[in-house]
Amino acid sequence: MSFLTDKWRSQAASRALRKAHSLVKQNRYPEAIRFLTEANRRLHSSAIEILLVNLRHDSFFHHVPTSSLASWPPHPDDLYADQPGIPEIDRQDFNATNVASGVFNHGSIIVRNMLTKDQVSLMRNSIIKTYAQHDKAMAGAPETETAPWFVPFNPAPREGTEAITDRGWYRQGGAELAADSPRGLFNLINCLQDAGITDMVTEYLGERPALSVRKTSLRQIPKDLNAENGWHQDGAFLGQGIRTVNVWIALTDCGVDAPSMDMVPRRMTNIVPTGTEGAMFDWSVSQLAVRDAAGETPPVRLQFREGDAIIFDEMNLHRTGVSPGMTKDRFAIEAWFFAPSCYPIEQLPIMV
Ligand SMILES: O=C(O)CCC(=O)C(=O)O
């Protein structure tokens, strides 16, 4: 019986793949992606998930971006002027107006209960499986064994996308690239869609966004993280003229006995110099510079329950918040969305 079921699934997956290839030949990438996504909700096919990662990347180069926003950044009213610290909302108040008000006036906004318990556990399990299969790959297992949880995404080189992806560096800092996990990325993109995050970001950025391969990660930060966790603003590495927003979601409780993030709770208007005296790394901001930049709003350590999110952009000054004596690892999603009309191409787009 299970053989028949498996055979049926594999035949159905082959038919779906054939149809998708034919749509792609006609340059109908978004349709091919939608079709495969729907088919795969039933079929859970490794081949479909691997093709989806590639199509999501390739489709960017067949997409003509248009933005509904003539200028950037926007200047939304401050709806949280009377709330000290980082503004907080609950899931039912999650919309582009409120998020933009928090990010552009206060540097970030916390959304409590962003994901459901089921979504949290799906994504946490996805991370556990991705790490395990990446470990197997590092021990020499071929991709046929590590799929669908770990298949390194190496897109065909195009101008501007040549930078090496140092997977060891990501892993040391407690991260796996979501695009390296075809099933992890499939689950992530569905969760972002089902939770209303993709639609919110579409309105916020003024166009259907693309994630970044290099910056969208599945994170397991060890309780005793012993790696680079310097203060930084992502804008120091992302270049000028971009439109971006990061949705960071805790998948375990964190901030007391598990690492979370330390954050300056205000909107920064400039990029603070990196590598100055006392900085841990040439890319990071020194404690002294953080203190000066924070002024009357000193850094806070975020305290989250699983499923809570924080949304911020490239100006936000933050670091992984870890202290000696923590007893639990922390799981999280880091999803950086960019507007395709001004995409920093070296970040490697994935259309959602
Ligand atoms: O998850 C972390 O600890 C760090 C995340 C981060 O730096 C980011 O989302 O930009």
Side-chain angles (χ1 to χ4, degrees), residues 215 219 221 232 234 246 248 260-261 312 318-321 330 332 334 336:
K215 293 203 61 64
R219 308 189 71 99
I221 302 285
H232 63 279
D234 292 84
N246 177 19
W248 186 100
S260 68
M261 276 204 282
F312 57 93
H318 59 276
R319 68 171 177 186
T320 297
R330 175 259 283 167
E334 177 183 4
W336 280 87

Side-chain angles (χ1 to χ4, degrees), residues 19-20 27 53 62 68-69 80 107 129 132 210-211 254 257 297 337:
K19 173 153 181 196
N27 237 331
V53 180
H62 297 265
S68 63
L69 302 176
Y80 306 104
K129 289 187 171 128
L211 286 166
C254 59
D257 51 8
T297 51
F337 292 92

Side-chain angles (χ1 to χ4, degrees), residues 120 124 249-254 258 304-307 329-332:
V120 164
R124 211 171 37 220
I249 311 172
L251 300 172
T252 43
D253 296 354
C254 59
F304 279 176
R305 306 302 298 255
E306 60 174 39
D329 290 358
R330 175 259 283 167
F331 289 71

Side-chain angles (χ1 to χ4, degrees), residues 172-239:
Q172 250 192 355
E176 290 282 347
L177 295 181
D180 278 349
S181 177
R183 186 155 296 170
L185 186 71
F186 182 80
N187 291 339
L188 173 62
I189 288 179
N190 284 342
C191 276
L192 294 171
Q193 179 65 50
D194 296 346
I197 293 170
T198 306
D199 289 344
M200 186 289 291
V201 173
T202 300
E203 189 181 340
Y204 179 103
L205 291 178
E207 57 194 296
R208 183 93 181 163
L211 286 166
S212 149
V213 169
R214 292 193 203 283
K215 293 203 61 64
T216 298
S217 59
L218 306 175
R219 308 189 71 99
Q220 180 179 358
I221 302 285
K223 51 187 176 291
D224 51 357
L225 178 77
N226 182 18
E228 307 177 357
N229 74 326
W231 284 98
H232 63 279
Q233 290 164 293
D234 292 84
F237 327 110
L238 290 173

Side-chain angles (χ1 to χ4, degrees), residues 68-69 72 74-77 79-80 89-105 109 111 114 195-207 245 247 311:
S68 63
L69 302 176
W72 190 266
H75 300 283
D77 291 341
L79 305 174
Y80 306 104
I89 54 176
D90 207 273
R91 171 97 193 71
Q92 73 267 10
D93 296 319
F94 175 67
N95 59 48
T97 304
N98 292 346
V99 171
S101 177
V103 172
F104 290 105
N105 292 299
I109 185 163
V111 187
M114 183 77 253
I197 293 170
T198 306
D199 289 344
M200 186 289 291
V201 173
T202 300
E203 189 181 340
Y204 179 103
L205 291 178
E207 57 194 296
V245 68
V247 179
I311 303 178

